[in-house]
Amino acid sequence: MALAGIALFAALGSWQLGRQQQKQALLDAAARTLQQRDARPLAVAADPAAARDYDWAAGQGRYPDLPPVLLDNQQRGGRPGVRVYRVFVPDAGDPLLVDLGWLPLPPDRDMPPIAPSPADTHVRGLLAPPPSAGIAAAALQPQSDGTLLAIALDPAAIADALGLPALAPRVLRLDPDLPVGYARDLDVLPNTLPPERHLGYAVQWYGLALAVLVTALVLTFRRRRRHPNSTP
């Protein structure tokens, strides 16, 4: 039992350590992109080989007359809310989802009113993978005002719901300096644990593994002292 516990705790510690390294790599990649801000065309958002990468992109296009998508369970400053996405059709390339920012939810969870599509034809920002869905299913719930409420952001499912042939696998995190949309930033790990927390959990799991090992050794030595002639 002690060996099984040690193996389990060590495996959990290794998993948390791996998550810490993965998230730190994401932060480093995003930081390099934001520092350089070497704008690429919006068409690169549709490249499946770069679906997990970060790029600074800019381009011209239009917001079609389609319902906004609200991503639920999004916190900002400790307050619950939704993140507002709209489809943008660039002059070149596949349509993509643009993150317009965050809106708070009242205690009764009535969906906030969403402004019409921006009239801007130029966008820029950080191309990034959609927010991690975790174990949530990408179900879409139509609301009375026509918006789509989602608990996970799946571009393929959203494209199907909106009657589009496809949506780019990456979303555009709109530059906060642009005077459109709602409260937003370019945090690439919103509503999720930072690398430091994963490292802390890894240390805790490894500590439990060590504690079980020490306890098992102490109990074994005590047993042998009391029963020196007993068979192990």
Side-chain angles (χ1 to χ4, degrees):
M1 289 181 63
L3 290 176
I6 292 170
L8 174 63
F9 294 147
L12 289 170
S14 297
W15 177 73
Q16 289 286 354
L17 192 60
R19 292 291 291 158
Q20 182 264 337
Q21 294 169 347
Q22 291 171 5
K23 289 190 174 180
Q24 188 60 55
L26 291 177
L27 289 176
D28 293 343
R32 288 192 298 269
T33 299
L34 291 173
Q35 183 178 20
Q36 297 169 359
R37 300 210 173 193
D38 183 14
R40 304 191 65 191
L42 294 173
V44 301
D47 183 2
R52 307 307 302 175
D53 296 340
Y54 295 92
D55 285 301
W56 190 258
Q60 298 288 127
R62 63 183 179 85
Y63 291 95
D65 186 18
L66 291 172
V69 178
L70 308 181
L71 182 61
D72 203 357
N73 300 322
Q74 301 297 296
Q75 291 198 5
R76 183 180 176 89
R79 298 180 63 191
V82 294
R83 194 169 292 274
V84 182
Y85 291 84
R86 280 195 179 273
V87 174
F88 186 82
V89 181
D91 290 343
D94 290 348
L96 71 159
L97 289 171
V98 172
D99 179 358
L100 292 174
W102 175 91
L103 283 173
L105 280 181
D108 59 9
R109 284 190 53 83
D110 278 347
M111 291 297 119
I114 307 300
S117 297
D120 301 60
T121 59
H122 176 81
V123 296
R124 68 172 183 266
L126 181 67
L127 284 176
S132 175
I135 61 174
L140 293 168
Q141 302 174 1
Q143 304 297 297
S144 59
D145 61 354
T147 61
L148 296 177
L149 183 65
I151 58 174
L153 206 65
D154 181 350
I158 294 171
D160 185 61
L162 295 177
L164 296 172
L167 279 170
R170 286 192 286 178
V171 302
L172 184 71
R173 304 284 303 278
L174 203 62
D175 188 344
D177 291 338
L178 292 176
V180 295
Y182 314 101
R184 61 184 183 272
D185 53 45
L186 296 177
D187 179 9
V188 298
L189 296 176
N191 302 287
T192 186
L193 296 177
E196 296 79 13
R197 291 285 296 276
H198 286 290
L199 180 59
Y201 288 142
V203 171
Q204 291 179 11
W205 287 120
Y206 286 137
L208 285 172
L210 180 61
V212 172
L213 174 62
V214 171
T215 301
L217 290 175
V218 169
L219 293 177
T220 299
F221 288 141
R222 284 183 178 178
R223 181 174 178 274
R224 288 182 177 178
R225 276 180 154 182
R226 292 176 182 174
H227 308 284
N229 296 322
S230 63
T231 302

